Amino acid sequence: MANISLVLLIIFPFLLRLSSAQSLSANFYSSSCPNVLSVIKTAVNSAVSSEARMGASLLRLHFHDCFGCDASVLLDDTSNFTGEKTAGPNSGSIRGFDVIDTIKTQVESSCAGIVSCADILAVAARDSVVKLGGPSWTVLLGRRDSTTASLSAANSNLPGPTSSLSALISSFSNKGLTAREMVALSGSHTIGQARCTTFRTRLYNEANINASFATTVKSNCPQSGGDNNLSPLDITSPTSFDNAYYKNLQIQKGLLHSDQVLFNGGSTDSIVNTYSSNSATFSTDFANAMVKMGNLSPLTGTNGQIRKNCRKTN
């Protein structure tokens, strides 16, 4: 009996996640809000055309929401809870809220109270990748929005820029994602920028960094001051979604510590080599991993709510 109880304890959370994910559907809004995908795509294309970095910002918003995928990351602090916006991995760097607000307003004018902020985030992330030349995938829909957020959960669940390889593998594994999926999702760093404060220690103290690359980056990231100065995560093609990120890792041009650990004599070197030499394999794996991540423990059915304003509960 004890063994049966143990098996049920292990399997039940997995079955719960599986049943929630299975209740999502690509056609969830086909009758209730048939133009929602075109509204989101038009708004994302406009925002990314105005500022290419916004594509990376919207993708990151979804990722940082998605160890839950319930739009909790969008909630402002209230007297009842401290939200996720000031969590270590988010503070001072997470952005794109205004674009999501704009999309939500446009969607609400078409079909009020129907489309969740969590689904808007998921679709906006996909459309951002496509706009910058990356792969597309079918976003399953039907997520509902959380009614609370947790600063502590965000701090404990989200991997940071100084994470070790074992910490990255563990963090993703805790959410049912494999090491290969972790490396594929890390390829999102083929776009976007990071603040000096997140990579200064690597820049000035680590040995496994290309010398000329370090010299170039140091010019915009002094040993003191300039914390918010930006450098591209992919110095080769920072506004193109491609596999250059992995090629950079092979020559020790990973900007963050958590980037370069993926190629540093460890268990994921071979995966980096695969993605570096085969962009189609990377694109396929990235798209599949995004679908899997987007389906992690969503709120569905009568759980949660459909927020009218993504920044606050109804």
Side-chain angles (χ1 to χ4, degrees):
M1 182 65 74
N3 287 341
I4 293 174
S5 298
L6 181 61
V7 169
L8 288 174
L9 193 64
I10 294 169
I11 291 177
F12 183 70
F14 170 75
L15 292 176
L16 201 59
R17 288 201 300 270
L18 190 63
S19 63
S20 293
Q22 285 176 337
S23 65
L24 301 179
S25 162
N27 303 314
F28 191 83
Y29 299 114
S30 59
S31 298
S32 58
C33 193
N35 67 338
V36 62
L37 294 180
S38 62
V39 170
I40 297 173
K41 183 176 183 178
T42 299
V44 168
N45 286 350
S46 175
V48 177
S49 293
S50 297
E51 182 198 13
R53 183 190 175 203
M54 187 53 70
S57 298
L58 293 173
L59 175 58
R60 187 166 182 256
L61 256 186
H62 176 54
F63 179 84
H64 281 222
D65 182 46
C66 251
F67 279 9
C69 302
D70 57 5
S72 56
V73 74
L74 302 177
L75 289 172
D76 290 336
D77 296 348
T78 72
S79 57
N80 296 320
F81 62 80
T82 302
E84 300 169 18
K85 292 181 178 180
T86 55
N90 294 337
S91 181
S93 65
I94 202 165
R95 59 197 296 272
F97 300 107
D98 291 346
V99 174
I100 298 300
D101 288 342
T102 297
I103 295 172
K104 179 63 172 174
T105 299
Q106 293 174 357
V107 170
E108 285 293 297
S109 68
S110 295
C111 30
I114 300 295
V115 181
S116 68
C117 300
D119 277 345
I120 289 173
L121 266 184
V123 176
R126 188 269 313 273
D127 291 348
S128 293
V129 170
V130 172
K131 177 65 175 172
L132 293 174
S136 186
W137 59 91
T138 300
V139 179
L140 300 181
L141 302 166
R143 299 168 191 80
R144 288 168 66 85
D145 300 323
S146 68
T147 55
T148 188
S150 171
L151 176 68
S152 60
N155 275 323
S156 61
N157 288 339
L158 290 172
T162 60
S163 294
S164 65
L165 179 59
S166 60
L168 289 170
I169 291 172
S170 176
S171 177
F172 281 74
S173 176
N174 288 341
K175 297 298 179 179
L177 294 161
T178 66
R180 186 182 180 97
E181 288 164 337
M182 179 272 290
V183 176
L185 290 170
S186 295
S188 61
H189 285 181
T190 182
I191 53 176
Q193 303 183 66
R195 296 177 302 144
C196 171
T197 186
T198 63
F199 56 81
R200 179 185 282 120
T201 299
R202 165 161 167 72
L203 202 56
Y204 290 94
N205 296 304
E206 295 184 6
N208 61 339
I209 188 167
N210 180 283
S212 61
F213 169 69
T215 299
T216 299
V217 179
K218 283 177 181 178
S219 67
N220 195 41
C221 183
Q223 281 192 286
S224 63
D227 282 3
N228 293 320
N229 291 358
L230 298 171
S231 290
L233 288 156
D234 170 0
I235 198 169
T236 307
S237 52
T239 58
S240 295
F241 198 98
D242 53 30
N243 67 337
Y245 167 79
Y246 300 104
K247 297 178 187 295
N248 291 335
L249 296 184
Q250 290 176 314
I251 52 175
Q252 299 188 323
K253 290 186 178 181
L255 184 65
L256 305 178
H257 177 85
S258 57
D259 290 325
Q260 196 58 57
V261 295
L262 301 181
F263 191 85
N264 194 41
S267 61
T268 54
D269 282 19
S270 61
I271 307 170
V272 170
N273 287 335
T274 296
Y275 293 157
S276 171
S277 62
N278 194 323
S279 61
T281 299
F282 163 55
S283 291
T284 299
D285 283 5
F286 180 82
N288 289 337
M290 285 296 293
V291 172
K292 185 172 176 180
M293 184 186 74
N295 296 347
L296 288 174
S297 308
L299 296 172
T300 57
T302 57
N303 294 315
Q305 63 182 208
I306 305 298
R307 282 185 223 141
K308 297 180 177 68
N309 179 333
C310 290
R311 294 174 182 259
K312 60 184 183 181
T313 59
N314 294 342

